[in-house]
Amino acid sequence: MAESVELPGRLGILPFKNKVLLPGAIIRIRCTSPSSVKLVEQELWQREEKGLIGILPVRDAAEAASVGPVLSQGVGSESGERGSRVQVGTSDSHRLDGKNQQEVIHWHTRGVAARALHLSRGVEKPSGRVTYVVVLEGLCRFSVQELSTRGTYYTARISPLEMTKSEMEQVEQDPEFITLSRQFKATATELISVLEQKQKTGGRTKVLLETVPVHKLADIFVASFEISFEEQLCMLDSVDLKVRLSKATELVDRHLQSIHVAEKITQKVEGQLSKSQKEFLLRQQMRAIKEELGDNDDDEDDVVALERKMQSSGMPSNIWKHAQRELRRLKKMQPQQPGYNSSRVYLELLADLPWQKASEEYELDLRVAKERLDSDHYGLTKVKQRIIEYLAVRKLKPDARGPVLCFVGPPGVGKTSLASSIAAALGRKFIRISLGGVKDEADIRGHRRTYIGSMPGRLIDGVKRVAVCNPVMLLDEIDKTGSDVRGDPASALLEVLDPEQNKTFNDHYLNVPFDLSKVIFVATANRVQPIPPPLLDRMEVIELPGYTPEEKLKIAMHHLIPRVLDQHGLTSEFLKIPEAMVKLVIQGYTREAGVRNLERNLAALARAAAVRVAEQEPAVSPIKDVDSLASPLLENRLADGAEVEMEVIPMGVNNHEISSTFKIASPLTVDEDMLEKVLGPPRFDDKEAAERVATPGVSVGLVWTSVGGEVQFVEATAMGGKGELHLTGQLGDVIKESAQIALTWVRARARDLLLATADETNLLEGRDVHIHFPAGAVPKDGPSAGVTLVTALVSLFSQKRVRADTAMTGEMTLRGLVLPVGGIKDKVLAAHRCGIKRVILPERNLKDLIEVPSAVLSGLEIIVAKRMEDVLEQAFDGGCPWRQHSNPPICSTAALGAKTEEIVNHLNQSWRRKPVI
């Protein structure tokens, strides 16, 4: 313990923010700021053992504002050593701890002198900044008389506050001080005893009580407690020994009481544990007494009820043995045990699963099934024919393991509703499982029961919810599963969709095989490409292309409008939407493959009509004129003279009776003015293509996307430069290569196409070419834009405009051959939607026109091309300029039409369906 030292008249000051160092306490600090490093270096490092510094508490601005602008001298002011009224700068602006911003430092007027017990110096790399680690011991209190700065740190003129030896001897004879000392030592001894029993340490702490003076013990004990900053300041300001001992005794006693309270809480918890053990023994004795008396009530025993439920579930024998083993384990457990609830939930799942329970199928009537499909879905002839074939096989061989159907098509074409229709035709229950965004394999196979919060996979959970083992299960958005560190759900689906494996499907949570072979799986996807090939191999892909405008019109009139009116509480008496207005909505406000946006627009019209109807006053008050309502149910109730508080309308009552209280003068008929008022101006028109190709260098292409076909414009322009090609529009590598091939072919045929004179050897000499694909935020890739790029370049160099009514698609080679591409049906439908009249296709894609409805082909002129020259001949008015000098062997337009009809008729005969051209 440090002896009393002689303090110099001035000390370097190290500020302690919201913390106090008391005499006798030891603290370890790390100095990194320039001011504290400078202080330690000059006052401690250079002076070695003789160095002393002053530790002065400071407040931050927030705490000082709550206390007041001027800090008090504390409780020790009655000692006769009243601090002089020095200007300590309690509200001056200084830098604190090396911060760049200016902070208000609120200095305390009393501090503690400290010496360094250990001092080490370090250099941070790579900055080279010097830091110090200092172990400080508090020595004695002092009072600040004047505060000043020395370079970057503070110094203070101080006066010591410690008593002299004679004054100390006089205080020790004071009876009050003697009483306070005994009280403090007794409390401190009790605290040390409790801590030694709790921590099982030796009696080294008791030696302090015998060797250290009592007034220093008070500071040492308080410094070891976690107390507030205000209490630390109060202890620092306690210069009077009696006040200091009184405060220290209070803090030690409070700490002792908190230890006693903690011990009581611990004993109470241990008592509750022993109480649960006692209850366990009593329950065992009660169960034995009931068995002896024969008074065991099974109906009140949940475990017995669970066992009965498991016996009636019809699970196989091997699974029943496993369930019995789990049940015996559950009976030996108590409800308070951690694994009781998880074991019980697992057994309840085993009991709830439909091991043998199946829904009774209707006797399949293909005619009724076909009528059901026709009533639910318009068009989709090929898709519905494949479903009828599937049902026919199920009728002839009910236990046949049919293929897994995967409906692929844009959003809103009826994929999910087709799966629901299959379930309705078979008379089976229907369950939909969404796989969009699933990245965890446990969503398919379940979690192992060793994990907290484990649960079965979505398949087992879905079978449990429908409570039959042979539902129609829809795996929706199967192309949108992902994979990460938690596994690959698509790989887990391989076992589910394989008929040879799913009869023993093993869910990780279930941990026993479950037969999924009776489940009819149907999948949906927007695209085929993201589906892994092994998973795709287990499914039969049925593509659902977009609807034609004529099909959308039929769907709207027969399905969408009745459903929208019903959803908005309207009937045809309130709102009428003529076919002409529906056509305008289809042509001017929707340009999509499905019908979802069409339904949204119809719903907007219905909402506008609902507002008008709701604003009308009811023609008949349902309260005052209740006798005039033509309701037979009300007449029967009122005939008996009974009071009617509420009328419940049965399901058989016509909806017209519900809305009969609202009458309007005439039904609201949608016209063009209402369309523009509700839906705004038309978003699309047929003039877009003509406006876009009004200048040379622009051509119209056809592309395929995940939401159907689209029209893609290609723009080309030339400017002065070094013969470079610039491509923009967020393009992929394949389409960039197609652009390079197109430019190379045009440069090679420049003289034949009259794009360059005989003297010109380089078509790009002194100029650059820039090709842009509009809608730059949408990624684009693929080879089908080859013929479109060539047409745009020829139009640019010849300054001839491309026909606005012509769109094209096809891949081209470096020799000018036009190769077939995919997505022909979607592309032709997109051209028809956008008002295109002529479509140029590769000759080898002619067979794909069998997929296009005849109503679409009848409004289009299909032109096939074998070489690039054929495309150019049909893309420009009056043909291509090179025709005037050479005659390559290509078919005329009439011959192309005849050839198309011949091939399509041949395909029609092979498919046994009506001609489409």
Side-chain angles (χ1 to χ4, degrees), residues 579-628:
E579 283 193 14
M581 295 300 103
V582 178
K583 286 183 179 179
L584 287 179
V585 174
I586 294 173
Q587 296 172 359
Y589 295 91
T590 62
R591 188 168 286 180
E592 57 174 345
V595 292
R596 286 183 179 169
N597 283 332
L598 176 59
E599 185 175 4
R600 292 188 185 101
N601 289 324
L602 294 176
L605 296 174
R607 289 194 297 270
V611 172
R612 178 176 174 182
V613 174
E615 288 177 348
Q616 301 293 328
E617 291 293 334
V620 180
S621 176
I623 298 177
K624 297 181 179 179
D625 301 327
V626 70
D627 294 332
S628 61

Side-chain angles (χ1 to χ4, degrees), residues 156 211 214 222 227 236 362 554 634 651 709 753 838 852 860:
T211 59
V214 65
V222 173
I227 57 178
L236 176 64
Y362 303 146
K554 297 292 184 181
L634 278 177
M651 294 300 295
L753 297 173
R838 304 167 76 242
V852 184
L860 294 174

Side-chain angles (χ1 to χ4, degrees), residues 531-559:
I531 304 177
L535 181 60
L536 190 64
D537 182 62
R538 284 164 168 75
M539 301 184 293
E540 178 181 347
V541 176
I542 300 177
E543 294 187 356
L544 280 73
Y547 294 112
T548 65
E550 291 75 14
E551 289 174 338
K552 289 183 179 180
L553 178 62
K554 297 292 184 181
I555 293 172
M557 300 305 297
H558 293 91
H559 298 280

Side-chain angles (χ1 to χ4, degrees), residues 151-203:
T152 59
Y153 63 91
Y154 294 96
T155 62
R157 184 167 57 85
I158 65 170
S159 61
L161 296 179
E162 296 296 330
M163 293 184 177
T164 62
K165 186 175 182 181
S166 59
E167 291 176 344
M168 189 65 199
E169 291 176 354
Q170 184 178 357
V171 172
E172 288 178 352
Q173 302 298 324
D174 189 350
E176 183 180 358
F177 177 79
I178 296 174
T179 303
L180 289 173
S181 300
R182 291 175 181 174
Q183 185 179 0
F184 173 78
K185 284 190 176 183
T187 308
T189 303
E190 184 179 359
L191 175 62
I192 292 173
S193 301
V194 171
L195 292 177
E196 288 180 350
Q197 292 177 1
K198 186 176 181 180
Q199 301 175 0
K200 300 186 184 303
T201 59

Side-chain angles (χ1 to χ4, degrees), residues 9 231 488 607 686 706 728 733 831 847 877:
E231 290 177 325
D488 185 6
R607 289 194 297 270
D686 296 339
S706 61
T728 55
D733 293 337
K847 62 182 183 299
D877 285 324

Side-chain angles (χ1 to χ4, degrees), residues 648-694:
V648 180
I649 301 178
M651 294 300 295
V653 177
N654 197 324
N655 288 336
H656 293 285
E657 297 183 12
I658 302 176
S659 58
S660 61
T661 56
F662 292 95
K663 297 293 182 180
I664 57 177
S666 61
L668 180 62
T669 303
V670 177
D671 54 12
E672 294 187 17
D673 294 337
M674 182 177 178
L675 280 183
E676 189 165 352
K677 181 179 179 182
V678 176
L679 303 180
R683 302 183 183 92
F684 311 101
D685 54 37
D686 296 339
K687 300 178 182 179
E688 181 181 5
E691 294 173 353
R692 298 287 286 271
V693 300

